[in-house]
Amino acid sequence: MASFKKKIAVLGGGLAGMATTASLKEEGGFDITCFEKTDKHGGTWCYREESIEGVASIMPTTIINHSKEVGALSNFPPPKEVNNFMRHYELYQYFNEFAAQKGILEHFRFNSEVTSVKRAPDYEETGRWTVTIRNTLSEEVTTDVYDGVLVCVGHVNRPKLPMYPGQDEFKGQILHSHSLKKVAPYQDKIVTVVGMGCSGLDAAVETSSVAKQVYLSTRSGAHVINRIGYKGLPYDYNLIRSYLYKLFDIFPANFVSWLFEKSYMDLRYNQKLYAVKPDHHIFSKDPILNDHIGSKLMSGSVIMKPDIKCFTKDGIIFEGDSEVTQSDVVIMSTGYTWKFPFLEDDIVEKENDKINLYKCMFPPQLPHATLIIIGFILPFGPGFPPGELQSRWAAQILAGKCRLPSKEKMYKDIETRYEENSKRYTPNEKTSIRVDYISYCDDIASQFGAKPDILRLFFTDFRLLYRILLGPSLSYQYRLQGPHSWDGAREAIMTCEDRILWPITKRDSKAMRESLFQILIQKILNFIFFW
């Protein structure tokens, strides 16, 4: 007699859905179906010429914001030949290779839009869910019952458009950056980009290469991080380290922000040079990355402006201005709202701006932990490793090998996160899902025994311990122990620098090492010429 397999529905075929499918398959004991709305997997990183409602969108020039090693999947290091900051098609290829190795696409059902997820009639007893699917090609609607549902649809796919006075009278074009693809249509035009997030800066930089003039309108300014960090290495390789994140446990967040701004950010591009200076500290908002905005501002290709006061028929009046600034096109890079339209209204509770999800995953009011949300986080760092850890923990929960705490403890944890985030971050509807990358990864990994045992490593492998505590935080460390540990995890950690240097230098890390004398001379010269 065949053993019983729990029937699991994975909603969304982006990286979160792919990682979740892989984790469930790795655990075993599940009958998995992953429903993907479009005809291709990959989510955000599958480039499409046309933007689709409810599906994340990128430009043809989009580059990932984290380096390949810091954002790698925990048992699948990127090849050394791959560029550190992968272009979207390189990242898509990385996902394809991961999918092929793990054999996950056999579980995918494409052109399948989830229209409804409701508690099954026997939910109170079994925790099962009734899922309704619409085939986007044939319009056929099917319904089935599942023992578990994992929601992996993301939260950067529903554009948020503000309304300004006089906007209806504007005769030019208004679009959201979600719909921005190629820049040729903006040749010799005057473009205004609203918003100074990552997508806003990308839009301003890219369109400025062909536009007559680009204006960048921002209400609050931004601290912009360059992908290239100390000595030409990826910024996150230098900065996302356990001992640096520990500063948040010792000092107030605003002090750590000030320290980082003065010792790192201002040395590269002093925030006082911005026409609209940031009105917040760097760790009070999402990290903003762009490599070219400084030179665009210096050349005048992009001119920074304050918030929009109102529109006119042929342009914009900015705050503090009395004259109209002509504009042909306005690109709204004003962020995204979140929504799970297929879920019943009481599944994801929201109280004002507080979203009630335990560890940003579990609705605490439900009596069964059989509906889990994956990837619904805003980490100060790469999103792939914490999303993968979530999927691994979810697999353990659904397999019955881990249990959630009491409802009271879950609500208390949610309240604590919200209160701490409210003190640190500027007000936002996603305040509840902001997380510090390393502490959150450690927290999730500890739930199912995958967090490295620091004390044991102190006595058994001090070199590895040194890399974990003082080196870049790498996802491979969460495969050293626990369920489905990986024999190659230690080697992946110890050799990551070789894979970082290879695509640039075609040499390993030994060839790049400097003597103590060279380092000392550099420090002296830096003090003399750049103090």
Side-chain angles (χ1 to χ4, degrees), residues 437-450:
Y437 173 73
I438 294 177
S439 59
Y440 184 76
C441 285
D442 284 347
D443 185 15
I444 300 301
S446 67
Q447 304 298 322
F448 62 101

Side-chain angles (χ1 to χ4, degrees), residues 44 54 185 257 335 345 365 422 428:
T44 303
S257 294
D345 291 339
Q365 79 281 9
S422 296
N428 188 279

Side-chain angles (χ1 to χ4, degrees), residues 7-14 17-18 21 31-42 48 103-114 131-138 140-146:
K7 196 172 180 180
I8 306 296
V10 178
L11 314 185
M18 295 170 72
T21 302
D31 178 10
I32 313 159
T33 304
C34 180
F35 297 102
E36 166 55 35
K37 179 179 180 178
T38 70
D39 60 351
K40 293 179 181 178
H41 60 280
R48 298 172 175 87
I104 61 178
L105 294 184
E106 64 189 59
H107 300 280
F108 274 51
R109 190 184 297 177
F110 296 99
N111 301 306
S112 300
E113 181 181 7
V114 180
V131 179
T132 302
I133 306 295
R134 179 182 71 90
N135 186 293
T136 58
L137 299 180
S138 66
E140 179 186 5
V141 176
T142 57
T143 299
D144 209 342
V145 177
Y146 293 85

Side-chain angles (χ1 to χ4, degrees), residues 194-202 216 222 287-290 333:
V194 182
M196 202 174 168
C198 290
S199 60
L201 293 185
D202 285 346
L216 177 63
I288 308 300
L289 274 82
N290 194 277
S333 298

Side-chain angles (χ1 to χ4, degrees), residues 52 78 161 183 289 354 374 412:
I52 302 172
L161 283 167
V183 299
L289 274 82
K354 185 175 69 173
I374 305 295
K412 185 177 180 180

